Amino acid sequence: MAAELTDPAVEAFVAAVNKGDREAFFAALTDDATMSDDGTDRDLRAWAEREIFSSNGRMDVEDVSADGRTLTATYTNSTWGSMRTRWVFTVSGGRVSRFETGQA
């Protein structure tokens, strides 16, 4: 059973990833959102295209922190297969302003 997402901004982010919906994904982010992957800052748009949209990325959330902004998920895409990942979100004004992901 998937863990219940409690932060609306994080929920919108995960739903957009799982639907492969670029428009909804970028709507869930602030205009100046940033991200890192395994501790290295990345170009968010290039990363999302490569790791989510062109490779059919999907998040199966296993655990959610009490504040709803840290997740453990099995992340699967056609490039890397499945891996256990950790996601930490910063939310500003109801949208994700930064996310950090990496292997859990």
Side-chain angles (χ1 to χ4, degrees):
M1 177 181 285
E4 183 176 341
L5 298 170
T6 57
D7 185 288
V10 173
E11 183 176 25
F13 178 99
V14 172
V17 168
N18 287 344
K19 290 178 184 174
D21 186 335
R22 283 178 184 85
E23 187 175 324
F25 178 80
F26 288 108
L29 303 173
T30 61
D31 293 340
D32 60 349
T34 61
M35 60 87 54
S36 71
D37 185 1
D38 284 328
T40 302
D41 279 6
R42 308 284 183 184
D43 176 284
L44 191 151
R45 287 189 177 274
W47 183 91
E49 183 58 38
R50 182 180 61 253
E51 300 293 337
I52 300 171
F53 303 116
S54 67
S55 61
N56 303 306
R58 175 159 181 79
M59 297 174 71
D60 293 313
V61 178
E62 300 168 8
D63 188 56
V64 180
S65 65
D67 69 359
R69 295 185 178 172
T70 301
L71 313 177
T72 302
T74 298
Y75 188 78
T76 304
N77 70 23
S78 59
T79 302
W80 304 107
S82 294
M83 67 183 80
R84 195 158 191 257
T85 55
R86 182 172 188 259
W87 299 74
V88 179
F89 295 90
T90 303
V91 175
S92 178
R95 294 167 51 194
V96 173
S97 59
R98 180 168 176 83
F99 65 93
E100 300 173 12
T101 187
Q103 292 191 45

